[in-house]
Amino acid sequence: MKWNIHKLKINLKGHARRRFDERYPDMSYEMMLHHFKTGKLVKKPIKDGDVGKIVKKIGRRKISFKFIIREEEIWIITIE
């Protein structure tokens, strides 16, 4: 399947929300979504339910998102 990840609805699982709050307490939710949308797609999910990975370099640090696509919605499962 082919998806345009910039046009799908983005949701956070509870684990991802907790990791985001813990690791990036000064970053806003909107900025996190910006980094997700502008990051480099490292692992592309091929079918519904596969895990994908997006990495964005922020200065000297990197933020990494693992996500799945289910029923035309993106679910971010963890943020590192």
Side-chain angles (χ1 to χ4, degrees):
M1 297 182 109
K2 293 192 177 194
W3 297 285
N4 183 351
I5 64 170
H6 302 294
K7 295 187 178 186
L8 298 177
K9 181 179 176 191
I10 300 173
N11 303 297
L12 266 85
K13 292 276 192 176
H15 174 78
R17 171 64 75 180
R18 287 189 299 275
R19 295 295 81 77
F20 172 68
D21 291 341
E22 176 184 291
R23 293 179 178 141
Y24 303 98
D26 298 334
M27 188 183 297
S28 69
Y29 180 74
E30 291 78 21
M31 183 57 71
M32 184 267 304
L33 288 178
H34 169 75
H35 289 315
F36 180 83
K37 291 177 182 180
T38 59
K40 181 179 179 185
L41 186 62
V42 176
K43 183 178 177 204
K44 183 177 181 178
I46 296 179
K47 61 183 182 192
D48 208 40
D50 283 354
V51 175
K53 185 175 182 180
I54 291 179
V55 176
K56 173 75 183 233
K57 188 172 181 183
I58 309 168
R60 296 182 195 175
R61 299 173 62 189
K62 287 187 208 176
I63 183 169
S64 176
F65 303 93
K66 289 186 182 174
F67 66 96
I68 58 173
I69 298 177
R70 288 222 171 110
E71 299 175 3
E72 302 295 321
E73 289 186 0
I74 294 174
W75 288 91
I76 298 174
I77 53 178
T78 193
I79 301 172
E80 301 171 342

Coordinates of all heavy atoms in Angstrom, one line a residue:
M1 N 0.8 -1.2 0.0 CA 0.0 0.0 0.0 C 0.9 1.2 0.0 O 2.0 1.2 0.5 CB -0.9 0.0 1.2 CG -1.9 -1.1 1.3 SD -2.9 -0.9 2.8 CE -4.4 -0.5 2.0
K2 N 0.4 2.3 -0.5 CA 1.1 3.6 -0.5 C 0.3 4.6 0.3 O -0.9 4.7 0.1 CB 1.3 4.1 -1.9 CG 2.2 3.2 -2.7 CD 2.6 3.9 -4.0 CE 3.6 3.0 -4.7 NZ 4.3 3.7 -5.8
W3 N 1.0 5.2 1.2 CA 0.4 6.2 2.1 C 1.1 7.5 1.9 O 2.4 7.5 1.8 CB 0.4 5.8 3.5 CG -0.4 4.6 3.9 CD1 -1.7 4.5 4.0 CD2 0.2 3.3 4.2 NE1 -2.0 3.2 4.4 CE2 -0.9 2.5 4.5 CE3 1.5 2.8 4.3 CZ2 -0.7 1.2 4.9 CZ3 1.6 1.5 4.6 CH2 0.5 0.7 4.9
N4 N 0.4 8.6 2.1 CA 1.1 9.9 2.2 C 1.0 10.2 3.7 O -0.1 10.7 4.2 CB 0.4 11.0 1.4 CG 1.1 12.3 1.5 OD1 2.0 12.5 2.3 ND2 0.7 13.2 0.6
I5 N 2.1 10.0 4.4 CA 2.0 10.2 5.9 C 1.7 11.6 6.3 O 1.4 11.8 7.5 CB 3.3 9.6 6.6 CG1 4.5 10.4 6.2 CG2 3.5 8.2 6.3 CD1 5.8 10.1 7.0
H6 N 1.9 12.6 5.4 CA 1.6 13.9 5.8 C 0.1 14.3 5.8 O -0.3 15.3 6.3 CB 2.3 14.9 4.9 CG 3.8 14.7 4.9 ND1 4.6 14.9 6.0 CD2 4.7 14.2 3.9 CE1 5.9 14.6 5.7 NE2 5.9 14.1 4.5
K7 N -0.7 13.4 5.2 CA -2.1 13.7 5.1 C -2.9 12.8 6.1 O -4.1 12.9 6.2 CB -2.6 13.5 3.7 CG -2.0 14.5 2.8 CD -2.6 14.5 1.4 CE -2.0 15.6 0.6 NZ -2.6 15.7 -0.7
L8 N -2.3 11.8 6.7 CA -3.0 10.9 7.6 C -3.1 11.5 9.0 O -2.3 12.3 9.4 CB -2.3 9.6 7.7 CG -2.2 8.8 6.5 CD1 -1.4 7.5 6.7 CD2 -3.5 8.4 5.9
K9 N -4.1 11.2 9.8 CA -4.3 11.6 11.2 C -3.2 11.0 12.0 O -2.9 9.8 11.9 CB -5.7 11.2 11.7 CG -6.0 11.7 13.1 CD -7.3 11.3 13.5 CE -7.5 11.7 15.0 NZ -8.7 11.1 15.5
I10 N -2.6 11.7 12.9 CA -1.5 11.2 13.8 C -2.0 11.1 15.2 O -2.6 12.1 15.8 CB -0.3 12.1 13.7 CG1 0.2 12.2 12.2 CG2 0.8 11.6 14.6 CD1 1.3 13.2 12.0
N11 N -1.8 9.9 15.8 CA -2.2 9.7 17.2 C -1.0 9.2 18.0 O -0.1 8.6 17.4 CB -3.3 8.6 17.3 CG -4.5 9.0 16.4 OD1 -5.2 9.9 16.7 ND2 -4.8 8.2 15.4
L12 N -1.0 9.4 19.3 CA 0.0 8.9 20.1 C -0.5 7.8 21.1 O -1.6 8.0 21.7 CB 0.6 10.0 21.0 CG 1.9 10.7 20.5 CD1 1.4 11.8 19.6 CD2 2.7 11.2 21.6
K13 N 0.1 6.7 21.1 CA -0.2 5.7 22.1 C 0.2 6.2 23.5 O 1.0 7.2 23.6 CB 0.5 4.4 21.9 CG 0.1 3.7 20.6 CD -1.1 2.9 20.9 CE -1.4 1.9 19.7 NZ -2.5 1.1 20.0
G14 N -0.3 5.7 24.6 CA 0.0 6.1 25.9 C 1.5 6.1 26.2 O 2.1 7.0 26.8
H15 N 2.1 5.0 25.8 CA 3.6 4.8 26.0 C 4.4 6.0 25.4 O 5.3 6.5 25.9 CB 4.0 3.5 25.5 CG 5.5 3.3 25.6 ND1 6.2 3.0 26.7 CD2 6.5 3.3 24.6 CE1 7.5 2.9 26.5 NE2 7.7 3.1 25.2
A16 N 4.0 6.3 24.1 CA 4.7 7.3 23.4 C 4.5 8.7 24.1 O 5.4 9.5 24.1 CB 4.2 7.4 21.9
R17 N 3.3 8.9 24.5 CA 3.0 10.2 25.3 C 3.9 10.3 26.5 O 4.5 11.4 26.8 CB 1.6 10.3 25.6 CG 1.2 11.4 26.5 CD 1.4 12.8 25.9 NE 0.3 13.0 25.0 CZ 0.2 14.1 24.3 NH1 1.1 15.1 24.4 NH2 -0.7 14.3 23.4
R18 N 4.0 9.2 27.3 CA 4.8 9.2 28.5 C 6.3 9.4 28.2 O 7.0 10.2 28.8 CB 4.6 8.0 29.3 CG 3.3 7.9 30.0 CD 3.2 6.7 30.9 NE 3.3 5.5 30.3 CZ 2.3 4.8 29.7 NH1 1.1 5.3 29.7 NH2 2.5 3.6 29.1
R19 N 6.8 8.8 27.1 CA 8.2 8.9 26.7 C 8.5 10.3 26.2 O 9.5 10.9 26.5 CB 8.6 7.9 25.7 CG 8.6 6.4 26.1 CD 9.6 6.0 27.2 NE 9.2 6.3 28.5 CZ 8.4 5.7 29.3 NH1 7.7 4.6 28.9 NH2 8.2 6.0 30.6
F20 N 7.6 10.9 25.5 CA 7.7 12.3 25.0 C 7.8 13.2 26.2 O 8.7 14.1 26.2 CB 6.6 12.6 24.0 CG 6.6 14.1 23.6 CD1 7.6 14.6 22.8 CD2 5.6 14.9 24.1 CE1 7.6 15.9 22.5 CE2 5.5 16.2 23.7 CZ 6.6 16.7 22.9
D21 N 6.9 13.1 27.1 CA 6.9 14.0 28.3 C 8.1 13.9 29.1 O 8.7 14.8 29.7 CB 5.6 13.8 29.1 CG 4.4 14.2 28.4 OD1 4.4 15.1 27.5 OD2 3.3 13.7 28.8
E22 N 8.6 12.6 29.2 CA 9.8 12.3 30.0 C 11.1 12.8 29.3 O 11.9 13.4 30.0 CB 9.9 10.8 30.2 CG 11.0 10.3 30.9 CD 11.0 8.7 31.0 OE1 10.1 8.2 31.7 OE2 11.8 8.1 30.3
R23 N 11.2 12.6 28.1 CA 12.5 12.8 27.4 C 12.6 14.2 26.8 O 13.7 14.8 26.6 CB 12.7 11.8 26.3 CG 12.9 10.4 26.8 CD 13.1 9.4 25.7 NE 13.3 8.1 26.3 CZ 12.9 7.0 25.8 NH1 12.1 7.0 24.7 NH2 13.1 5.8 26.4
Y24 N 11.5 14.8 26.5 CA 11.5 16.2 25.9 C 10.5 17.1 26.6 O 9.5 17.5 26.0 CB 11.1 16.1 24.4 CG 12.0 15.2 23.6 CD1 11.7 13.9 23.4 CD2 13.3 15.6 23.2 CE1 12.5 13.0 22.7 CE2 14.1 14.8 22.5 CZ 13.8 13.5 22.3 OH 14.6 12.6 21.6
P25 N 10.7 17.4 27.9 CA 9.8 18.2 28.7 C 9.6 19.6 28.2 O 8.5 20.2 28.4 CB 10.3 18.2 30.1 CG 11.8 17.9 29.9 CD 11.9 17.1 28.7
D26 N 10.5 20.2 27.5 CA 10.4 21.6 27.0 C 9.9 21.7 25.6 O 9.6 22.8 25.1 CB 11.8 22.2 27.0 CG 12.4 22.3 28.4 OD1 11.6 22.3 29.4 OD2 13.6 22.4 28.6
M27 N 9.6 20.6 24.9 CA 9.1 20.6 23.5 C 7.6 20.6 23.5 O 7.0 19.8 24.2 CB 9.7 19.4 22.8 CG 9.4 19.5 21.3 SD 10.0 18.0 20.4 CE 11.7 18.1 20.6
S28 N 7.0 21.4 22.7 CA 5.6 21.4 22.5 C 5.1 20.2 21.7 O 5.9 19.7 20.9 CB 5.1 22.7 21.9 OG 5.5 22.8 20.6
Y29 N 3.9 19.9 21.8 CA 3.3 18.8 21.0 C 3.3 19.2 19.5 O 3.6 18.3 18.7 CB 1.8 18.6 21.5 CG 1.1 17.5 20.7 CD1 1.4 16.2 20.9 CD2 0.1 17.8 19.8 CE1 0.7 15.2 20.2 CE2 -0.6 16.8 19.1 CZ -0.2 15.5 19.3 OH -0.9 14.5 18.6
E30 N 3.0 20.4 19.2 CA 3.1 20.9 17.8 C 4.5 20.8 17.2 O 4.6 20.4 16.0 CB 2.6 22.3 17.7 CG 1.1 22.5 17.9 CD 0.8 22.5 19.4 OE1 1.7 22.7 20.3 OE2 -0.4 22.2 19.7
M31 N 5.5 21.1 18.0 CA 6.9 20.9 17.5 C 7.2 19.5 17.3 O 7.9 19.1 16.3 CB 7.9 21.6 18.5 CG 9.3 21.5 18.0 SD 9.6 22.3 16.5 CE 9.4 24.0 16.9
M32 N 6.8 18.6 18.2 CA 7.0 17.2 18.0 C 6.4 16.7 16.7 O 7.0 15.9 16.0 CB 6.4 16.4 19.2 CG 6.7 14.9 19.2 SD 5.4 13.9 18.4 CE 4.0 14.3 19.4
L33 N 5.1 17.1 16.4 CA 4.5 16.7 15.2 C 5.3 17.3 14.0 O 5.4 16.6 12.9 CB 3.0 17.2 15.1 CG 2.1 16.5 16.0 CD1 0.7 17.2 15.9 CD2 2.0 15.1 15.7
H34 N 5.8 18.5 14.1 CA 6.6 19.1 13.0 C 7.8 18.2 12.7 O 8.2 17.9 11.6 CB 7.1 20.5 13.4 CG 8.1 21.0 12.5 ND1 7.8 21.5 11.2 CD2 9.4 21.2 12.6 CE1 8.9 21.9 10.6 NE2 9.9 21.7 11.5
H35 N 8.5 17.7 13.8 CA 9.7 16.9 13.6 C 9.3 15.5 13.0 O 10.0 15.0 12.2 CB 10.4 16.7 15.0 CG 11.1 17.9 15.5 ND1 11.9 18.7 14.7 CD2 11.1 18.4 16.7 CE1 12.4 19.7 15.4 NE2 11.9 19.6 16.7
F36 N 8.1 15.0 13.4 CA 7.7 13.8 12.8 C 7.4 13.9 11.3 O 7.8 13.1 10.5 CB 6.4 13.3 13.5 CG 5.8 12.0 13.0 CD1 6.3 10.8 13.4 CD2 4.8 12.0 12.0 CE1 5.9 9.6 12.9 CE2 4.3 10.8 11.5 CZ 4.8 9.6 11.9
K37 N 6.8 15.0 10.9 CA 6.4 15.2 9.5 C 7.6 15.6 8.7 O 7.6 15.3 7.5 CB 5.4 16.3 9.4 CG 4.0 15.9 10.0 CD 3.0 17.0 9.9 CE 1.7 16.6 10.5 NZ 0.7 17.7 10.4
T38 N 8.7 16.2 9.2 CA 9.8 16.6 8.5 C 11.0 15.7 8.6 O 12.1 15.9 8.0 CB 10.3 18.0 8.8 OG1 10.6 18.1 10.2 CG2 9.2 19.0 8.5
G39 N 10.9 14.6 9.4 CA 12.0 13.7 9.6 C 12.2 12.8 8.4 O 11.4 12.8 7.5
K40 N 13.3 12.1 8.5 CA 13.7 11.1 7.4 C 13.1 9.8 7.7 O 13.2 9.2 8.8 CB 15.2 11.0 7.3 CG 15.7 10.1 6.3 CD 17.2 10.0 6.2 CE 17.6 9.0 5.2 NZ 19.1 8.8 5.2
L41 N 12.4 9.3 6.7 CA 11.8 7.9 6.8 C 12.8 6.9 6.6 O 13.4 6.7 5.5 CB 10.7 7.8 5.7 CG 9.8 6.5 5.8 CD1 9.0 6.4 7.1 CD2 8.9 6.5 4.6
V42 N 13.2 6.2 7.7 CA 14.3 5.2 7.7 C 13.7 3.9 7.4 O 14.4 3.1 6.6 CB 15.0 5.2 9.1 CG1 16.0 4.1 9.2 CG2 15.6 6.6 9.4
K43 N 12.6 3.5 8.0 CA 12.0 2.2 7.7 C 10.5 2.4 7.3 O 9.7 3.0 8.1 CB 12.1 1.3 8.9 CG 11.5 -0.1 8.7 CD 11.6 -1.0 9.9 CE 11.0 -2.3 9.6 NZ 10.5 -3.0 10.8
K44 N 10.2 2.1 6.1 CA 8.9 2.3 5.6 C 8.0 1.1 5.8 O 8.3 0.0 5.5 CB 8.9 2.6 4.1 CG 7.6 2.9 3.4 CD 7.8 3.2 2.0 CE 6.5 3.6 1.3 NZ 6.7 4.0 -0.1
P45 N 6.8 1.3 6.4 CA 5.9 0.2 6.6 C 5.3 -0.2 5.2 O 4.9 0.7 4.4 CB 4.8 0.8 7.5 CG 4.9 2.3 7.4 CD 6.3 2.6 7.0
I46 N 5.2 -1.5 5.0 CA 4.8 -1.9 3.7 C 3.3 -2.2 3.7 O 2.6 -1.9 2.7 CB 5.6 -3.2 3.2 CG1 7.0 -2.8 3.1 CG2 5.0 -3.8 2.0 CD1 8.0 -3.8 2.7
K47 N 2.8 -2.8 4.7 CA 1.4 -3.1 4.8 C 0.8 -2.6 6.1 O 1.5 -2.2 7.0 CB 1.1 -4.6 4.6 CG 1.8 -5.4 5.7 CD 1.5 -6.9 5.4 CE 2.2 -7.6 6.6 NZ 2.3 -9.0 6.4
D48 N -0.5 -2.6 6.2 CA -1.2 -2.1 7.4 C -0.7 -2.9 8.6 O -0.7 -4.2 8.6 CB -2.7 -2.4 7.2 CG -3.5 -1.4 8.0 OD1 -3.2 -0.2 8.1 OD2 -4.6 -1.8 8.5
G49 N -0.3 -2.2 9.7 CA 0.2 -2.9 10.9 C 1.7 -3.0 11.0 O 2.2 -3.4 12.1
D50 N 2.4 -2.8 9.9 CA 3.9 -2.9 10.0 C 4.5 -1.7 10.7 O 3.9 -0.6 10.7 CB 4.5 -2.9 8.6 CG 4.4 -4.2 7.9 OD1 4.0 -5.2 8.5 OD2 4.8 -4.3 6.7
V51 N 5.6 -1.9 11.3 CA 6.3 -0.8 12.1 C 7.2 0.0 11.1 O 7.9 -0.6 10.4 CB 7.1 -1.4 13.3 CG1 7.9 -0.3 14.0 CG2 6.2 -2.1 14.2
G52 N 7.1 1.3 11.2 CA 7.9 2.2 10.5 C 8.8 3.0 11.4 O 8.5 3.1 12.6
K53 N 9.8 3.7 10.9 CA 10.6 4.5 11.7 C 11.0 5.8 11.0 O 11.4 5.8 9.8 CB 11.9 3.7 12.1 CG 12.8 4.4 13.1 CD 14.0 3.6 13.5 CE 14.9 4.3 14.5 NZ 16.0 3.4 14.9
I54 N 10.9 6.9 11.7 CA 11.3 8.2 11.2 C 12.3 8.8 12.2 O 12.1 8.7 13.4 CB 10.1 9.2 11.1 CG1 9.2 8.7 10.0 CG2 10.5 10.6 10.9 CD1 7.9 9.5 9.8
V55 N 13.4 9.4 11.7 CA 14.5 10.0 12.5 C 14.6 11.4 12.1 O 14.7 11.7 10.9 CB 15.8 9.2 12.4 CG1 16.9 9.9 13.2 CG2 15.6 7.8 12.8
K56 N 14.7 12.3 13.0 CA 15.0 13.7 12.8 C 16.2 14.2 13.6 O 16.2 14.0 14.8 CB 13.7 14.6 13.1 CG 13.9 16.0 13.0 CD 13.9 16.5 11.6 CE 14.2 18.0 11.6 NZ 13.3 18.8 10.8
K57 N 17.1 14.8 13.0 CA 18.3 15.4 13.7 C 17.9 16.8 14.2 O 17.5 17.6 13.4 CB 19.5 15.4 12.8 CG 20.7 15.8 13.6 CD 22.0 15.6 12.7 CE 23.2 16.0 13.5 NZ 24.4 15.9 12.8
I58 N 18.1 17.0 15.5 CA 17.9 18.3 16.1 C 19.2 18.8 16.7 O 19.5 18.4 17.8 CB 16.7 18.2 17.2 CG1 15.5 17.5 16.6 CG2 16.4 19.6 17.7 CD1 14.5 17.2 17.7
G59 N 19.9 19.6 16.1 CA 21.2 20.1 16.6 C 22.1 18.9 16.7 O 22.4 18.2 15.7
R60 N 22.6 18.6 17.9 CA 23.5 17.4 18.1 C 22.7 16.2 18.5 O 23.3 15.1 18.6 CB 24.5 17.8 19.2 CG 25.4 18.9 18.9 CD 26.4 19.1 20.1 NE 27.0 20.3 19.9 CZ 27.8 20.8 20.8 NH1 28.1 20.1 21.9 NH2 28.4 22.0 20.7
R61 N 21.4 16.3 18.7 CA 20.6 15.2 19.1 C 19.8 14.7 18.0 O 19.6 15.3 17.0 CB 19.7 15.6 20.3 CG 20.5 16.1 21.5 CD 19.6 16.7 22.5 NE 18.6 15.7 23.1 CZ 17.6 16.0 23.9 NH1 17.4 17.2 24.2 NH2 16.8 15.0 24.3
K62 N 19.2 13.5 18.2 CA 18.2 12.9 17.3 C 17.0 12.6 18.0 O 17.0 12.2 19.2 CB 18.8 11.6 16.7 CG 19.9 11.8 15.7 CD 20.2 10.5 15.1 CE 21.6 10.4 14.6 NZ 22.0 9.1 14.1
I63 N 15.9 12.7 17.3 CA 14.6 12.2 17.9 C 14.1 11.1 16.9 O 14.2 11.3 15.7 CB 13.6 13.3 18.1 CG1 12.3 12.8 18.7 CG2 13.3 14.0 16.8 CD1 11.3 13.9 19.2
S64 N 13.7 10.0 17.5 CA 13.3 8.8 16.7 C 11.9 8.4 17.0 O 11.5 8.4 18.2 CB 14.3 7.7 17.0 OG 13.9 6.5 16.3
F65 N 11.1 8.2 16.0 CA 9.7 7.8 16.1 C 9.5 6.5 15.5 O 9.9 6.2 14.4 CB 8.8 8.8 15.4 CG 8.9 10.2 15.8 CD1 9.8 11.1 15.1 CD2 8.2 10.8 16.8 CE1 9.9 12.4 15.5 CE2 8.3 12.1 17.2 CZ 9.1 12.9 16.5
K66 N 8.9 5.6 16.3 CA 8.5 4.3 15.8 C 6.9 4.4 15.7 O 6.3 4.8 16.6 CB 8.9 3.1 16.6 CG 10.4 2.9 16.5 CD 10.8 1.7 17.2 CE 12.3 1.5 17.1 NZ 12.8 0.4 17.9
F67 N 6.4 4.0 14.5 CA 5.0 4.1 14.3 C 4.4 3.0 13.5 O 5.1 2.2 12.9 CB 4.7 5.4 13.6 CG 5.2 5.5 12.2 CD1 4.4 5.2 11.1 CD2 6.5 5.8 11.9 CE1 4.8 5.2 9.8 CE2 7.0 5.9 10.7 CZ 6.2 5.6 9.6
I68 N 3.1 2.8 13.6 CA 2.4 1.9 12.7 C 1.2 2.6 12.1 O 0.8 3.7 12.5 CB 1.8 0.7 13.5 CG1 0.9 1.1 14.7 CG2 2.9 -0.2 14.1 CD1 0.2 0.0 15.4
I69 N 0.7 2.1 11.0 CA -0.4 2.7 10.3 C -1.5 1.6 10.3 O -1.3 0.5 9.9 CB -0.1 3.0 8.8 CG1 1.0 4.1 8.8 CG2 -1.3 3.5 8.1 CD1 1.5 4.5 7.4
R70 N -2.6 2.0 10.9 CA -3.8 1.2 11.0 C -5.0 1.9 10.6 O -5.3 3.0 11.1 CB -4.0 0.7 12.4 CG -3.0 -0.3 12.8 CD -3.7 -1.5 13.6 NE -2.7 -2.5 13.8 CZ -2.2 -2.8 15.0 NH1 -2.5 -2.2 16.1 NH2 -1.3 -3.8 15.1
E71 N -5.8 1.4 9.6 CA -7.0 2.0 9.1 C -6.9 3.4 8.8 O -7.6 4.3 9.2 CB -8.1 1.8 10.2 CG -8.4 0.3 10.5 CD -9.4 0.1 11.6 OE1 -9.9 1.1 12.1 OE2 -9.6 -1.0 12.0
E72 N -5.8 3.7 8.0 CA -5.6 5.1 7.5 C -5.3 6.1 8.6 O -5.5 7.3 8.4 CB -6.7 5.6 6.6 CG -7.1 4.7 5.4 CD -5.9 4.6 4.4 OE1 -5.3 5.7 4.2 OE2 -5.7 3.6 3.9
E73 N -4.7 5.7 9.7 CA -4.3 6.5 10.8 C -2.9 6.1 11.2 O -2.6 4.9 11.3 CB -5.2 6.5 12.0 CG -6.6 7.1 11.8 CD -7.4 7.1 13.0 OE1 -7.0 6.7 14.1 OE2 -8.5 7.6 13.0
I74 N -2.1 7.1 11.6 CA -0.7 6.8 12.1 C -0.8 6.8 13.6 O -1.4 7.7 14.2 CB 0.3 7.9 11.7 CG1 0.4 7.9 10.2 CG2 1.6 7.8 12.4 CD1 1.3 9.1 9.6
W75 N -0.2 5.7 14.2 CA -0.2 5.6 15.6 C 1.3 5.6 16.0 O 2.0 4.6 15.7 CB -0.8 4.3 16.1 CG -2.3 4.4 16.0 CD1 -3.1 4.1 15.0 CD2 -3.2 4.9 17.0 NE1 -4.4 4.3 15.3 CE2 -4.5 4.8 16.5 CE3 -3.0 5.4 18.3 CZ2 -5.6 5.2 17.3 CZ3 -4.1 5.8 19.1 CH2 -5.4 5.7 18.5
I76 N 1.8 6.6 16.7 CA 3.2 6.7 17.1 C 3.2 5.8 18.4 O 2.5 6.0 19.4 CB 3.6 8.1 17.4 CG1 3.6 8.9 16.1 CG2 5.1 8.1 18.0 CD1 3.9 10.4 16.3
I77 N 4.1 4.8 18.3 CA 4.1 3.8 19.5 C 5.2 4.1 20.5 O 5.1 3.8 21.6 CB 4.2 2.3 19.0 CG1 5.3 2.1 18.0 CG2 2.9 1.9 18.4 CD1 5.5 0.7 17.5
T78 N 6.3 4.7 20.0 CA 7.4 5.1 20.9 C 8.2 6.3 20.4 O 8.3 6.4 19.1 CB 8.3 4.0 21.4 OG1 9.1 4.4 22.5 CG2 9.2 3.5 20.2
I79 N 8.8 7.1 21.3 CA 9.6 8.2 20.9 C 10.9 8.1 21.7 O 10.9 7.9 22.9 CB 9.0 9.5 21.2 CG1 7.6 9.7 20.5 CG2 9.9 10.7 20.9 CD1 6.8 10.9 20.8
E80 N 12.1 8.0 20.9 CA 13.4 7.9 21.6 C 14.2 9.1 21.4 O 14.1 9.8 20.4 CB 14.1 6.7 21.0 CG 13.3 5.4 21.2 CD 13.9 4.2 20.5 OE1 14.7 4.4 19.6 OE2 13.6 3.1 20.8

